Amino acid sequence: MATARLAPWLLLLVCVLSVLRTESVDVVNTIVTDAVKKGAVCLDGTPPAYALHKGVGDAANNWLIYLEGGGWCATEAECVFRTTKDVGSTKRWAVEKSSLIAMLSDQESENPYFYNWTRVYVRYCDGSSYVGDREKPYVVRYHDVDPGNNTTVYFRGARVFKAVMEDLLEKGLKHASNALLTGCSAGGLGALLQCDNFRSILPEKAKVKCAADAGFFIDGTDIYGGHMHRERFAQIVQTHESQKNLPKSCTSKMDASLCMLPQNFVADIKTPLFVVNSVYDTWQIENILMPVKKDQLAVHDEFASCGHDIENCTCDQVKLWRGFQSEFYQALAQLNSSSSNGMFINACASHCQTQKQETWFGTSTMPKLRDRPGVGEAVGEWFVNDAEMRRVDYRTKTPLVCEYNPEEPHWNNHYTFRGTNLFNPAYTLADEIKRKTSLIPRCPAEIPAYFQQPLLCIAGLC
């Protein structure tokens, strides 16, 4: 009897584990010790690090360099805190390995376009998207409490990037036939900001391109009717003294703090560029659309349940979602219309789609996500075969379910299957999408078609 009662639960466990199962390769990290004498150090003064997995055969001279993300520290106090974390120090990476998955996988079935390339994962430890360069460090003195244990914080993101690239050039990057600089979130923004610099250090005959995943942060209007996030970007630029490494074409026209926002500088990037993003990027929804404003907590709290699930929204709140979506499309229109540039813009409630197998190239447990070219195919075809790839889902007005990990109950999963679905294996992805798209028929509104490219369909829903 007990065995019979357990059977459905065991079946469910197998299903859940199959969702999570992906192949990974564990790589010993390279610590760039020579970078210290160049002043190219992490926030805590440790040298930068990266994980390199050598390519195979003719593909060994093809390089994919992935910049890790992890937000920013906007104030000296925040940067001090980050010195105790992986995003501010490489102490842990000197003794532990990095696991490469999804876009960095060495499995052909999971990463068919880049699996046999030389793949590099650059650890993020500077808090500035790799563009800070402040000469004078910040010293925290503990005086009578602990006078011999001061903390020194460095702001050297641009030097870190340069030192890592110099080290990789000597490891074979200088002989690259093909090279792709990419990254996620703050790393994706770093790939945009450093794109043309990256092109300049490589052989002229090499094919060089850049791609940004979840790094196209927009200057969007928040739920209070302002642009509160501008203050944070201004703090980041000021604290790290990043202005000297931001695009001159932008800083010559506007305040440097606005030149960390891609819509204000992507038109001037000369190297072929690809943008992977969701119009419902979960980080941007939480931090740009609905940031916490201390003097308007009531407004934030009123919107919070809507921000976590559009099912809870009033029609006025739905307008805020759709307004943000519209602003995203307008910002994206600033990308140079050259046929060498590409984009894959969907409505997945996600952040960093190149770092998760189910959003990068799908899995057997997430069927039908690849009826049309998905993220992996889009980026691969654009780079390898120089295909014109501009896929934009501008008709879907609510977040779509594109990933599900029950072991990670964080913001990225607020739009995924409801908890009760864990107990109902018959409840499918298609069921959830149907539910989400039928939530707000009482709030009709059309999103302007800023792009006339073919419609992107996900899971058969257009």
Side-chain angles (χ1 to χ4, degrees):
M1 181 68 71
T3 301
R5 285 197 301 266
L6 283 174
W9 291 95
L10 291 174
L11 176 62
L12 173 60
L13 178 61
V14 170
C15 291
V16 169
L17 290 176
S18 66
V19 172
L20 300 176
R21 185 178 63 246
T22 57
E23 297 291 336
S24 67
V25 55
D26 293 331
V27 178
V28 174
N29 294 293
T30 298
I31 307 300
V32 190
T33 53
D34 289 346
V36 176
K37 62 186 178 185
K38 303 174 184 178
V41 293
C42 301
L43 289 169
D44 71 336
T46 54
Y50 61 82
L52 183 153
H53 193 248
K54 194 67 176 175
V56 179
D58 294 339
N61 281 335
N62 298 335
W63 288 69
L64 188 157
I65 299 177
Y66 197 105
L67 304 181
E68 183 182 24
W72 311 272
C73 51
T75 66
E76 291 170 335
E78 287 181 7
C79 293
V80 171
F81 177 74
R82 285 170 75 103
T83 62
T84 65
K85 308 295 180 182
D86 290 341
V87 287
S89 172
T90 55
K91 288 179 181 177
R92 187 161 76 93
W93 303 118
V95 295
E96 294 190 17
K97 296 181 179 180
S98 293
S99 294
L100 307 185
I101 61 173
M103 192 178 189
L104 294 165
S105 171
D106 65 343
Q107 301 295 308
E108 184 174 6
S109 62
E110 297 183 350
N111 188 26
Y113 292 91
F114 306 110
Y115 75 98
N116 56 352
W117 285 32
T118 295
R119 288 153 290 109
V120 182
Y121 189 57
V122 181
R123 308 300 322 200
Y124 183 45
C125 67
D126 67 84
S128 74
S129 280
Y130 306 89
V131 291
D133 192 4
R134 174 171 151 181
E135 186 63 39
K136 187 176 180 180
Y138 174 67
V139 181
V140 182
R141 293 181 172 83
Y142 296 101
H143 303 294
D144 297 336
V145 178
D146 191 359
N149 191 29
N150 294 337
T151 297
T152 303
V153 185
Y154 301 85
F155 308 87
R156 306 286 177 75
R159 298 189 202 185
V160 165
F161 180 84
K162 182 179 179 181
V164 169
M165 292 305 116
E166 289 174 347
D167 199 66
L168 292 175
L169 286 170
E170 294 306 309
K171 297 285 177 62
L173 179 60
K174 62 184 176 183
H175 302 302
S177 300
N178 298 283
L180 173 61
L181 177 67
T182 185
C184 153
S185 194
L189 177 58
L192 294 175
L193 291 166
Q194 292 285 2
C195 184
D196 284 341
N197 289 336
F198 181 69
R199 162 70 272 189
S200 70
I201 67 174
L202 292 171
E204 185 176 347
K205 62 181 181 180
K207 180 199 285 190
V208 182
K209 298 184 179 183
C210 304
D213 174 18
F216 200 90
F217 301 96
I218 71 167
D219 188 17
T221 306
D222 57 45
I223 59 176
Y224 316 106
H227 295 78
M228 186 175 164
H229 63 284
R230 288 181 184 172
E231 301 172 15
R232 183 161 181 80
F233 277 100
Q235 285 184 310
I236 295 168
V237 171
Q238 181 178 3
T239 297
H240 293 266
E241 297 185 10
S242 302
Q243 64 276 4
K244 65 190 77 172
N245 294 307
L246 296 175
K248 299 293 190 295
S249 60
C250 179
T251 56
S252 63
K253 296 181 293 187
M254 62 185 72
D255 188 271
S257 63
L258 296 174
C259 296
M260 281 193 73
L261 295 164
Q263 68 195 74
N264 294 326
F265 67 82
V266 289
D268 298 313
I269 295 177
K270 297 179 176 60
T271 308
L273 176 66
F274 197 94
V275 174
V276 175
N277 229 105
S278 169
V279 290
Y280 294 119
D281 180 282
T282 49
W283 190 95
Q284 295 199 53
I285 293 299
E286 186 172 22
N287 294 278
I288 295 181
L289 176 61
M290 52 176 292
V292 176
K293 194 169 186 178
K294 292 181 180 179
D295 61 348
Q296 296 197 51
L297 290 178
V299 176
H300 179 273
D301 292 344
E302 182 181 351
F303 189 83
S305 62
C306 166
H308 283 224
D309 193 332
I310 205 164
E311 181 179 11
N312 302 321
C313 297
T314 66
C315 288
D316 285 341
Q317 290 172 332
V318 168
K319 290 178 182 178
L320 295 174
W321 277 94
R322 292 177 174 169
F324 186 85
Q325 185 186 43
S326 181
E327 286 186 300
F328 192 96
Y329 290 140
Q330 292 181 67
L332 196 65
Q334 303 306 312
L335 181 66
N336 191 309
S337 60
S338 167
S339 61
S340 63
N341 290 333
M343 63 180 74
F344 188 94
I345 310 300
N346 57 21
C348 291
S350 186
H351 186 64
C352 293
Q353 299 180 70
T354 59
Q355 288 191 166
K356 307 158 193 169
Q357 194 59 43
E358 55 264 59
T359 47
W360 170 243
F361 209 75
T363 69
S364 60
T365 57
M366 299 291 280
K368 304 300 182 184
L369 280 178
R370 299 194 288 116
D371 285 348
R372 301 288 180 90
V375 176
E377 293 96 331
V379 177
E381 286 295 319
W382 167 76
F383 189 102
V384 176
N385 297 319
D386 297 316
E388 290 190 31
M389 188 64 67
R390 299 172 78 87
R391 309 289 294 177
V392 181
D393 180 3
Y394 59 81
R395 296 184 191 176
T396 302
K397 302 178 181 65
T398 56
L400 291 179
V401 183
C402 303
E403 60 179 278
Y404 173 54
N405 188 342
E407 289 194 351
E408 294 185 21
H410 51 59
W411 174 262
N412 285 6
N413 286 311
H414 282 310
Y415 301 107
T416 58
F417 294 112
R418 291 175 292 179
T420 52
N421 301 333
L422 287 174
F423 306 103
N424 181 11
Y427 191 90
T428 66
L429 178 65
D431 292 329
E432 179 70 356
I433 291 176
K434 183 177 180 181
R435 184 184 75 86
K436 288 295 186 186
T437 54
S438 64
L439 294 177
I440 49 173
R442 65 187 186 281
C443 307
E446 289 301 319
I447 298 298
Y450 291 103
F451 296 96
Q452 299 304 318
Q453 287 78 19
L455 173 67
L456 164 67
C457 296
I458 297 178
L461 177 71
C462 298

